[in-house]
Amino acid sequence: MQFLFLFSGPFKIPLPSIHYYFSSFLHPSIHPSSHPAIFLQLSAMLSFAALTLRLGSTGCRGGRRNLATIVSGNKTSQLVRERLKEDLDQMRGQFPGFRPGLVVLQVGDRDDSNLYISMKLKAAAEIGINASHVRLPKTATEDEVLRRIVEVNENLEVHGLIVQLPLDSINPMDTEKVTNAVAPEKDVDGLTSINAGKLSRGDLGDCFIPCTPKGCMKLISQTGTSVAGKNAVVIGRSKIVGAPMHDLLLWSHATVTTCHSKTTDLAAQVGRADILVVGAGMAEMVKGEWLKEGAVVIDCGINHIPDDSKANGMRVVGDVHYPSAKEKAGFITPVPGGVGPMTVAMLMENTVQSAKRFLKTYQPGKWNISYAKLKPQKPQPSDAAIAHSFTPKTIGRLAREVGLFSEEVEPYGTTRAKVRLEALNRLKTQPNGKYLVVTGITPTPLGEGTTTTTLGLAQALGAHLHVNSFACVRQPSRGSNFGVKGGAVGGGYCQVIPMEEVSLHLTSDIQAVMAANSLVVDTINARVLCESTQSDKALFDWLVPLRDGHRKFSLSQLNRLKRLGIEKPETLKPEDIYRFIRLDIDPETKTLSGYVASEMMAVLALSTSLGDMTRRLARMVVAYSRKGKPVTTEDLGISGVLATLMRDAVKPSLMQTMEGTPVFVHTCPLSDIAQGNSSILADQIALKLVGPEGFVVTEAEGGAELGMEKFFDIKCRSSGLHPDVVVMVASVPALKMHGGGPAVTAGSAMPKEYSAENLTLLENGCNHLKRQLENARAFGLPVVVAINTFSTDTDAELGLVCEQAKLAGALEVVPCSHWAEGGAGAVALGQAVQRAAETPHQMNFLYDLEMPIDDKIRVIAKSMYGADDVELLPQAQKKVALFSKQGLGNLPICMAKTHLSLSHDPERKGVPTGFTLPIRDIHANLGAGFLYPLVGTASVPPQSPAFSCFHDNDFSTESK
């Protein structure tokens, strides 16, 4: 504290002392800074009084020394609280709605602890601190306490954490371990080893000082005594009072002696003390005759001694014998009413101080996240070489940066993790961020960069425009030959890393789906065999074994009984048993193994919770009986175990881009026979994490007529989420192909037409872009076109695409170089989507679910593909009648069509016209909740590409 001295006569009186002496009868608003004239008069009065006292006690024989001045903690703490209220008002003025957060963690239910906690909570409420009390039972284990501490450490709304000591548990507790588990930046008790170490080194501005010693220093300052150069004695060496008190006095330039139970000449040591601080925990151990005349005595002790005059028979005393000490001391703190109130006040001060430190780096709605700096090389190395040149940050660090708690993250190694769905429950009241969907023109066999653009846009928004951004992409499905595009997600300087992990097993979601698929196939085969070889009794005993004279039906079996109208399974009649056990599966109707896997992946991608996934899996139709009745996984009795196999697969996998922005890689439903989008859960969690000013960039696989249409009419219907902007990706080479350019074969050299300027081909191809823009705009949202540039593109070609796209209704058109430059090459695109998201918009669906099945198919064919009409072949007509009769007519439509053309013919590029779309059959995917018509010769499941990329993915040798 800086002292201002006022002079009157021969004495100089420190201003804080004047304020202290007269505060008992002055109005709280009267302060030296605001009323200097009043305090000048008071100074003169006090100086005269001091002169009179000195003359009376030393200048006159027989004079009697006055009693010590009582240093009231109640009054001083109240001044502190008033100042803290003003600090909080200033914080709220700068950050409206902000309140410092304090958590008091208690183990057990000790009465004394409850009393102390109630005092802390009361003081916090008075000041305006948001304090909460977390009480764990006496049965709590050390691990449970540590987990709760970690949870509070990671909560950005909490700025102070107190672990109330002692830990009242029936289980062993390492107090030191528990105390040090508190994050140093939230250790407002100042008890962690890090804060204690900083205090011992004298780093007082970079640590939290324990509350009791800090309060003692405040009380000493109130006496007007300068600590520097004084002899100070501290009795007690505890980590809470004695040791930090010694350090504080030492770094305030006192000569400090620490005494304790083994000190042999305690009275002599006390007699030399100008300042005495006692925290020994022994009732009235320090006697008045030990004290130096006029010493400052700070009594930290709280003890109970017998006193028949008290109602409870006990009296509270300190460690100093107060009646004798006040006869000799110059200043003394009472017990109670001295150090105790100041300890609580300093706890509040430390909490406010912690909040102030937090606000120095706090930006409302912004993550405190680090980004990697890219240094693109020329000529550009291979994707693998680029990916291997980056070292990703640990997944735990990334999770903390985006606001996930440790208990919500399940690491798979150091660079990938599953995110538990509890995170979504915690964040359910958080407003969603902006929602972008990236689609594209009809792709060529090599793909046209929708994934790369998705990642590049997320990198631009996050690392360059400093907006919270999250990318959500599908997991690559390599199959038996690594697919035509090779082993990576993205390309160039816009990749998910490490590429080996994302390209191979990742977090084993695909393996879980394949295991569940195998279970379905094996169970059908086993059921067909058992029903054909066993009697009713043997089959019943096999399905519901008799144990201890009772049969216990599984949940799926009970649900089957209900569907059969059997309410009392304990009294089954023979005919009921027959109906229950005999599925009578027609072997010819077994669903293809590959499609079962695809349907399960579609279920996984459309589920909104673990329970939702379980119900969807139970509805899956995997065969038909000889009478044409559908057989579900619940009929087979395996829906529960399917959910068990996939219980981890439903959690999104967290990874990162090359620039350190977060990515969810989750699910891989195909875009031709399924919906072709990443999971709903990934999008939902990401939208909560980015906050209302952030952006989630999700990808719709395939062309706009396919993946984007399914994104809106299937995924958005299931999720209830409505995007804000559509980003349409196109490239000059792809548009040339749609303009009549030669065919491209994977693995062979690109024809020269795609590397040389050819405005005629390109202008023809822009008709395809116009058509896809019409498709995108049909859903009522602003559309921004991203031109994924190649080094061979000319200015004239790029200018032509921009001109044609704007004429077709694109809000903005932006050439992007993110493949070669990372997020820096997509900054203009990021700014464009920011502007687009602010434009008024209202999403709409393409068709009403209540429309007849064939009409919904016709709307999609005409609106999205440009067909003249549709032709339902006989088998498809039968299915329309059957599904309508079964009450399935209100399901959305998922067209199973080639992704290589707007039409059903993959060879027809550009904008095919004059065709009728043939529908040869219709299937029901009741688990995912849609009907999928088979268009033309679309294969189910799709065939693997002829060109494989396993020879390009020898990661093991590249990493050595």
Side-chain angles (χ1 to χ4, degrees), residues 933-957:
L934 300 181
V935 178
T937 59
S939 59
V940 183
Q943 298 297 315
S944 297
F947 179 79
S948 62
C949 286
F950 46 73
H951 57 273
D952 289 336
N953 290 278
D954 192 359
F955 297 126
S956 59
T957 58

Side-chain angles (χ1 to χ4, degrees), residues 497-528:
I497 55 173
M499 70 179 305
E500 295 92 340
E501 294 180 5
V502 72
S503 298
L504 299 177
H505 300 296
L506 190 57
T507 49
S508 300
D509 293 353
I510 294 177
Q511 286 74 11
V513 169
M514 296 309 297
N517 168 71
S518 297
L519 175 63
V520 171
V521 174
D522 293 344
T523 302
I524 291 174
N525 292 335
R527 189 62 174 263
V528 170

